[in-house]
Amino acid sequence: MAEVKMIPLAVNGGIGFGAKLTPKQLIALGTYLDDDTEVELTTFQQIIIQVPENKVEVATEELEKVGFSVYKVGPYVKSLRTCGFCQGAEEEGMPIAIELNKRIAGKSVPFTVRPAYTGCPNACGEPLINDIGVIKRKDHFELYVGGQAVGTNARTGVLLKDGLEPEELYELVDKVLEVYRNNGRKRERIAKFIDRYGFDALKKDVGVS
Ligand code: SF4
């Protein structure tokens, strides 16, 4: 009998007050896994599961019904990592984080992009050591690009623009991803791409002076 191809899926509990899951979600997750299947917890608030190829569609649908977000694994934008919004959803911009995630998560890019959002300058969600980092400061947003937590060339991201309104933030993140998608080399991280392409060239392409 032909072996069933297993497809990895990245599952996360959506954006809320911290990375929390409900028992209902855990039960739904168990439905698609054999007893001795291993699941992997990533540092990016995601659980990686392996699902038979012919069950991907139905598993995705069922997991989404209990509030999970399901993403492909590979060269895509990962779901937005967030802080715990300890000061409250509105104060810390949870709706903006949810909208940003909706717009970018799962988009195709040359190499996996890890975006992170944090509701105040305390930056608990570590936005400066991720590929794309957003910090809410009072009523506006700052966008950082090119942070990298791993490797001997680890570094913090560079401020691309501050004082952004929500719509400006969404548009600017879209533009950055578009420039990276069109000009980045296969498996070239954003940080490395910016080194090669040039931060000034990126700024020019996305319309930041
Ligand atoms: S970044 Fe700010 S709002 Fe978010 S958890 Fe930390 S202190 Fe709270």
Side-chain angles (χ1 to χ4, degrees), residues 83-88 92 118-125:
C83 70
F85 298 100
C86 71
Q87 310 289 328
E92 311 308 344
T118 200
C120 83
N122 282 348
C124 304

Side-chain angles (χ1 to χ4, degrees), residues 160-161 203-204 206-209:
L160 182 61
K161 195 156 198 257
K203 277 170 76 175
K204 189 165 163 266
V206 299
V208 170
S209 51

Side-chain angles (χ1 to χ4, degrees), residues 29-190:
L29 203 54
T31 309
Y32 295 95
L33 304 174
D34 294 333
D35 288 355
D36 53 356
T37 305
E38 290 181 339
V39 298
E40 181 190 344
L41 301 177
T42 74
T43 53
F44 227 67
Q45 300 171 345
Q46 290 188 331
I47 299 170
I48 307 294
I49 61 171
Q50 303 282 336
V51 175
E53 194 173 25
N54 57 359
K55 287 195 182 158
V56 167
E57 226 169 278
V58 64
T60 302
E61 218 171 274
E62 293 300 317
L63 292 172
E64 284 177 348
K65 268 190 207 161
V66 292
F68 276 119
S69 297
V70 183
Y71 304 99
K72 288 182 274 188
V73 174
Y76 304 100
V77 179
K78 282 194 172 286
S79 53
L80 190 67
R81 178 180 175 177
T82 63
C83 70
F85 298 100
C86 71
Q87 310 289 328
E90 289 302 321
E91 291 84 345
E92 311 308 344
M94 196 196 286
I96 282 83
I98 290 171
E99 178 62 22
L100 180 62
N101 182 62
K102 204 157 57 173
R103 289 181 181 223
I104 63 173
K107 284 202 170 166
S108 175
V109 274
F111 190 69
T112 311
V113 166
R114 295 174 167 80
Y117 175 98
T118 200
C120 83
N122 282 348
C124 304
E126 301 178 344
L128 260 65
I129 52 163
N130 283 287
D131 299 296
I132 287 181
V134 178
I135 294 180
K136 182 170 187 284
R137 192 181 291 271
K138 296 192 174 146
D139 294 331
H140 290 91
F141 299 87
E142 297 170 354
L143 177 60
Y144 294 80
V145 292
Q148 185 175 315
V150 298
T152 50
N153 54 351
R155 68 190 72 181
T156 53
V158 186
L159 179 67
L160 182 61
K161 195 156 198 257
D162 58 7
L164 294 161
E165 295 287 343
E167 277 303 325
E168 294 173 320
L169 172 71
Y170 308 144
E171 277 171 28
L172 192 51
V173 172
D174 269 348
K175 284 183 188 166
V176 169
L177 290 174
E178 197 185 326
V179 173
Y180 175 47
R181 188 176 303 114
N182 294 337
N183 300 283
R185 293 176 181 154
K186 202 173 168 198
R187 297 194 56 76
E188 183 178 47
R189 277 181 189 280
I190 282 202

